[in-house]
């Protein structure tokens, strides 16, 4: 498996990761199937898994995905010492909706629960502030995160859904190694708002969420002629073309496609071998 440096740390992880969300939200698969997916990802060389305390059905189910990942890692027969689990906190799931909560007291509590959910034996590898809450300053919210780093609960910190200015504010409080924002051929804000360029310049890992454009777009990739044509020419899946497009956009990008089936993560890993020329990338740019 090709590897990529995680921020400016001395850690290298797989160049494609696994997103855990589909295994824990509504319509999730049986637990045994999800564990098979995670085990297969590990067999294929994936060493970066993305999760969140809010990957669950609702507040009564909070931290489900973190516990699931810990269970899968604990039951895996191979070596998991190099696996990095990146979680997030700061979103609530009342009745299945998504709302921000940057209250420092809430963040202190959820970090502690995430620490326990992931095993409690070592610091959380990467903890990401899931989304800024306008009710609190970034300094107020991240002060609680800095405390957790100093207390040995968190090893590295990232941010999610942040602008360049907000990332700079965060870095004044605590060291930041990653940024996770929405990015796909249909959602290119990181190209336009400078976040992607900033990550490149500063050596931050960029984790694109919703790489296939959301559930509606995900089911209709074949309707994008440029993607369908390239997939046919290269003999790969539509998803491989999208992941290859992401990887071609910046050396800072580490795709984290979600999976709830073994076949899905097996297919995603194949994208490592798909290369797009500048002309092919531009063809997708124009089509979307």
């Amino acid at each position: 498996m090709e590897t990529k440096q995680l921020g400016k740390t001395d850690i290298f992880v797989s160049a494609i990761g696994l997103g855990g969300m589909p295994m824990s939200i509504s319509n999730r698969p049986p637990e045994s199937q999800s564990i098979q997916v995670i085990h297969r990802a590990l067999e294929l060389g994936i060493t970066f898994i993305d999760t969140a305390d809010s990957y669950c059905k609702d507040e009564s189910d909070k931290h489900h995905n973190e516990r699931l990942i810990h269970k899968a890692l604990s039951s895996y027969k191979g070596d998991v010492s190099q696996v990095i689990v990146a979680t997030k906190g700061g979103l609530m799931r009342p009745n299945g909706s998504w709302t921000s909560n940057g209250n420092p007291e809430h963040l202190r509590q959820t970090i502690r629960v995430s620490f326990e959910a992931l095993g409690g034996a070592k610091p959380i590898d990467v903890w990401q502030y899931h989304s800024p809450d306008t009710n609190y300053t970034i300094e107020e919210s991240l002060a609680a995160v800095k405390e957790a780093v100093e207390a040995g609960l968190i090893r590295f910190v990232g941010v999610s859904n942040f602008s360049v200015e907000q990332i700079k504010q965060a870095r004044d409080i605590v060291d930041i190694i990653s940024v996770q924002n929405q990015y796909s051929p249909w959602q290119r804000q990181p190209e336009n708002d400078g976040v992607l360029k900033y990550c490149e310049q500063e050596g931050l890992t960029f984790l694109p969420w919703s790489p296939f454009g959301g559930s509606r777009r995900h089911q209709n990739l074949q309707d994008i002629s440029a993607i369908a044509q390239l997939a046919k020419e290269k003999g790969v899946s539509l998803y491989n073309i999208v992941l290859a497009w992401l990887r071609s956009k910046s050396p800072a990008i580490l795709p984290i496609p979600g999976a709830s089936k073994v076949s899905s993560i097996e297919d995603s890993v194949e994208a490592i071998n798909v290369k797009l020329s500048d002309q092919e990338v531009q063809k997708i740019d124009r089509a979307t």
Side-chain angles (χ1 to χ4, degrees):
M1 168 67 77
E2 179 186 331
T3 59
K4 182 177 289 291
Q5 187 176 8
L6 184 60
K8 288 185 176 179
T9 73
D10 59 358
I11 296 170
F12 284 78
V13 295
S14 54
I16 286 184
L18 169 65
M21 187 171 75
M23 292 180 266
S24 289
I25 56 175
S26 58
N27 300 317
R28 64 195 184 201
E31 182 180 276
S32 59
Q33 180 177 320
S34 293
I35 289 176
Q36 287 176 350
V37 171
I38 298 168
H39 285 181
R40 184 58 179 141
L42 298 171
E43 290 170 358
L44 292 167
I46 286 179
T47 57
F48 188 88
I49 303 176
D50 179 77
T51 183
D53 64 355
S54 55
Y55 290 171
C56 57
K57 292 181 178 179
D58 54 36
E59 279 299 303
S60 69
D61 191 44
K62 205 76 174 280
H63 300 274
H64 178 275
N65 197 244
E66 293 172 329
R67 294 188 177 99
L68 173 68
I69 288 168
H70 174 62
K71 186 171 184 178
L73 291 175
S74 299
S75 61
Y76 185 63
K77 302 301 182 185
D79 179 18
V80 296
S81 62
Q82 303 305 307
V83 175
I84 297 294
V85 177
T87 193
K88 295 180 285 293
L91 285 186
M92 309 296 284
R93 299 299 312 282
N95 301 312
S97 63
W98 304 80
T99 60
S100 297
N101 186 350
N103 184 315
E105 283 305 315
H106 166 69
L107 295 181
R108 288 186 183 98
Q109 179 184 16
T110 198
I111 288 168
R112 172 63 68 175
V113 179
S114 289
F115 173 77
E116 297 294 342
L118 291 168
K122 65 182 182 69
I124 296 168
D125 294 320
V126 183
W127 187 92
Q128 305 157 88
Y129 183 25
H130 209 148
S131 184
D133 181 350
T134 55
N135 293 309
Y136 302 90
T137 66
I138 288 172
E139 183 177 6
E140 286 173 326
S141 297
L142 289 186
V145 182
K146 184 179 180 180
E147 290 172 12
V149 172
E150 293 169 347
L153 297 177
I154 296 171
R155 188 176 180 190
F156 299 115
V157 178
V159 293
S160 181
N161 302 303
F162 268 49
S163 67
V164 171
E165 186 56 39
Q166 289 169 329
I167 298 168
K168 290 177 179 178
Q169 291 175 33
R171 295 180 76 192
D172 285 339
I173 302 153
V174 65
D175 188 33
I176 300 295
I177 68 161
S178 63
V179 177
Q180 183 169 163
N181 286 6
Q182 185 176 12
Y183 187 44
S184 73
W186 308 274
Q187 196 346 316
R188 299 207 205 145
Q189 188 172 340
E191 291 179 16
N192 302 322
D193 63 12
V195 168
L196 194 53
K197 184 176 181 181
Y198 181 80
C199 288
E200 282 184 31
Q201 292 173 339
E202 298 298 314
L204 306 178
T205 296
F206 184 90
L207 305 165
W209 65 263
S210 195
F212 302 125
S215 58
R216 200 180 320 170
R217 180 76 66 184
H218 183 267
Q219 294 166 3
N220 296 286
L221 289 179
Q222 71 278 358
D223 294 341
I224 311 300
S225 59
I227 293 175
Q229 183 181 347
L230 285 169
K232 186 176 180 180
E233 289 174 0
K234 296 178 183 294
V236 298
S237 73
L238 301 163
Y239 308 109
N240 276 191
I241 297 299
V242 175
L243 293 175
W245 178 89
L246 282 168
R247 280 169 38 82
S248 72
K249 282 291 182 172
S250 170
I253 289 178
L254 195 169
I256 46 170
S260 58
K261 299 177 182 177
V262 167
S263 58
S264 296
I265 193 59
E266 289 176 337
D267 180 70
S268 291
V269 168
E270 290 297 319
I272 287 284
N273 302 314
V274 180
K275 308 300 179 187
L276 299 179
S277 67
D278 291 343
Q279 291 77 14
E280 289 169 335
V281 170
Q282 290 165 12
K283 187 176 182 181
I284 295 173
D285 287 349
R286 290 192 298 268
T288 55

